[in-house]
Amino acid sequence: MALLAALCLGARRSLAQERPGAAEGRQPSKEIADADAQQALGAPAALPTRAASLTLDRTIVQLTVSFRDVVDGEISKKLLSGLPTVITMRGYLFHESGGTPLALAAKSCRVVYDLWDEVFRIQLIQAGGQSSTVAVNVEGVLRNCAEARRLPLAERSLLRDGSRYFVAVLVEVNPMSAEMLDRIKRWVTRPPGSTAIGPGDSLFGSFVGLFVTRIGNADRKLAFRTQPFLPPTPPPPQSPPSR
């Protein structure tokens, strides 16, 4: 009996050494990593910074940023499987000092590889409505679905001169329920300049509530923020050519 007890004690010590923190009741490393990610998402200003371009088209501030790295080798295999793959991007406009988000820009991309014709069939939902296109390779999918190019972000009148802002972005692959995707579709098909978040827009009113609670539901995710920026100004008017 004494020998058996000694062997059991030795096995427990060995297991504790192989799994650091197990003897003290700490979380496994994956759970710790998820907790760290949740903490980062809970503080948008603490997200890693990614360069982006903010431009002005008449009265609308537009966002251009790339997130091609959301499609890694595993996601590329999913794209080629013939099963639907959905890539969504949401960008929240914040004051540099923080607070609640002021506006939301979003896009959603549904990709299905046609095994018969050997092309990717893409349904793209973003400001302006829904459109369909075809890509002949993964590069074409990235160009359509893993970049935001001049995506309407907010009315220029919503931004104060001299104040600095940033955009916190979440990109997910196969992220959500059909109901949530339908709500995003209704959001992005609003009239131009209707991206401001109002008191009644509870679905999009909480960066923490929307992003953190769904952090484990996507096949892959990226979270980052843009550099701080001042509201873009229109270019100076060009003088008429001299005769």
Side-chain angles (χ1 to χ4, degrees):
M1 292 291 292
L3 177 60
L4 181 60
L7 289 173
C8 290
L9 180 60
R12 288 177 186 171
R13 288 175 178 171
S14 175
L15 182 60
Q17 291 172 354
E18 291 175 3
R19 296 167 53 194
E24 293 83 358
R26 292 198 295 267
Q27 293 174 305
S29 58
K30 182 181 184 301
E31 295 179 9
I32 292 172
D34 285 347
D36 290 343
Q38 288 180 349
Q39 184 177 5
L41 285 172
L47 293 171
T49 303
R50 180 170 299 202
S53 171
L54 282 302
T55 54
L56 185 65
D57 180 19
R58 298 182 181 177
T59 63
I60 304 295
V61 178
Q62 298 175 324
L63 170 69
T64 298
V65 67
S66 174
F67 39 91
R68 287 177 166 230
D69 45 325
V70 77
V71 179
D72 59 4
E74 191 64 28
I75 299 302
S76 293
K77 292 178 183 178
K78 289 179 182 290
L79 288 171
L80 290 164
S81 69
L83 297 174
T85 298
V86 177
I87 301 174
T88 63
M89 171 266 182
R90 282 160 285 170
Y92 276 40
L93 175 67
F94 285 90
H95 281 290
E96 186 180 27
S97 57
T100 58
L102 305 175
L104 169 67
K107 66 179 292 184
S108 175
C109 203
R110 185 178 185 270
V111 186
V112 178
Y113 185 62
D114 188 325
L115 298 171
W116 183 263
D117 292 333
E118 297 184 334
V119 295
F120 295 95
R121 303 199 180 276
I122 299 171
Q123 293 180 345
L124 183 62
I125 301 172
Q126 59 183 355
Q130 182 172 338
S131 60
S132 299
T133 188
V134 172
V136 297
N137 50 31
V138 173
E139 169 62 27
V141 173
L142 296 177
R143 193 163 52 247
N144 284 279
C145 302
E147 297 177 357
R149 294 193 299 273
R150 301 181 69 86
L151 187 67
L153 177 63
E155 277 277 354
R156 174 61 176 83
S157 59
L158 189 66
L159 283 64
R160 296 198 303 265
D161 291 337
S163 295
R164 291 164 65 88
Y165 301 84
F166 70 90
V167 181
V169 179
L170 178 71
V171 184
E172 294 176 291
V173 179
N174 295 330
M176 298 170 294
S177 66
E179 179 187 4
M180 180 67 77
L181 289 172
D182 183 62
R183 291 181 181 182
I184 287 183
K185 178 181 177 179
R186 294 201 303 269
W187 177 269
V188 302
T189 52
R190 289 180 171 196
S194 302
T195 59
I197 297 174
D201 298 317
S202 58
L203 174 64
F204 299 108
S206 170
F207 184 92
V208 178
L210 180 61
F211 290 163
V212 174
T213 57
R214 306 199 63 85
I215 191 170
N217 293 1
D219 290 346
R220 181 163 163 77
K221 54 193 171 291
L222 289 177
F224 59 88
R225 53 162 289 182
T226 69
Q227 75 279 8
F229 62 89
L230 292 169
T233 56
Q238 295 181 351
S239 57
S242 56
R243 295 182 177 178

